[in-house]
Amino acid sequence: MNVALGGTFDPIHDGHRALFERAFELGDVTVGLTSDDLAPKTRHDQRHVRPFSERKSRLADELSVRAAEHDREWEVRELTEPTGIATEPQFDALVVSPETETGGRRINEIREERGHDPLEIEVVPHVYADDGDIISSTRIVKGEIDEHGNLTPNRTGRENIS
């Protein structure tokens, strides 16, 4: 199975890792990584996003480990539009989070308009932080939690993330 997923992935956290894990369980994985131009347009907040090259390098580190565990192939491609790579005919499944499920349905509408089979949409549940709220890159950048959802009351935000 050829599996697609996409995002900004800055910083990568355990919620993203759950998406990656499910994707590799299903098949070979192609990750669409938002371009530097697209990344700010996909954010609901006005926060700094690291450059594409840095995000791609960190993403590659994460994906290579999971791919080896599952004996799968993977690649990262640059996304320049929100519907990205998933509208291409070679994909069988799309892995999404609960908040991007609607976008997945829209991708299937576009695929059908183009004469492609719809994707199997796999919704991966949220991963929760110690305080019961979801783990998110925004919360990490704000200094509320770390990438694993541990509360970080003494951290001030992005400047202290390695």
Side-chain angles (χ1 to χ4, degrees), residues 114-131:
R114 295 179 180 176
H116 307 317
D117 290 334
L119 297 171
E120 177 182 322
I121 297 177
E122 288 285 323
V123 182
V124 176
H126 288 126
V127 176
Y128 291 90
D130 288 346
D131 62 1

Side-chain angles (χ1 to χ4, degrees), residues 23-150:
F24 281 113
E25 288 171 357
L26 293 171
D28 293 332
V29 176
T30 302
V31 178
L33 182 63
T34 56
S35 67
D36 288 336
D37 287 338
L38 181 61
K41 297 173 187 169
T42 64
R43 310 271 34 100
H44 298 291
D45 54 5
Q46 295 297 317
R47 67 175 169 84
H48 171 74
V49 175
R50 290 180 177 134
F52 179 86
S53 60
E54 187 175 339
R55 291 182 288 122
K56 184 177 180 181
S57 175
R58 289 172 188 249
L59 182 59
D61 292 343
E62 291 282 338
L63 297 176
S64 62
V65 171
R66 278 173 186 71
E69 290 170 356
H70 292 277
D71 193 28
R72 303 285 194 188
E73 298 294 321
W74 64 272
E75 73 172 311
V76 175
R77 292 181 43 204
E78 187 173 23
L79 289 184
T80 57
E81 59 183 71
T83 55
I85 61 173
T87 58
E88 297 173 7
Q90 71 270 24
F91 295 105
D92 305 301
L94 178 65
V95 173
V96 298
S97 63
E99 55 271 298
T100 59
E101 183 178 5
T102 301
R105 287 196 300 268
R106 176 65 187 130
I107 285 167
N108 271 341
E109 290 171 5
I110 294 168
R111 288 177 64 86
E112 288 181 39
E113 290 168 6
R114 295 179 180 176
H116 307 317
D117 290 334
L119 297 171
E120 177 182 322
I121 297 177
E122 288 285 323
V123 182
V124 176
H126 288 126
V127 176
Y128 291 90
D130 288 346
D131 62 1
D133 200 355
I134 64 170
I135 296 176
S136 72
S137 296
T138 299
R139 293 188 71 205
I140 295 166
V141 169
K142 288 180 178 179
E144 298 173 15
I145 59 173
D146 67 13
E147 67 184 271
H148 305 294
N150 301 305

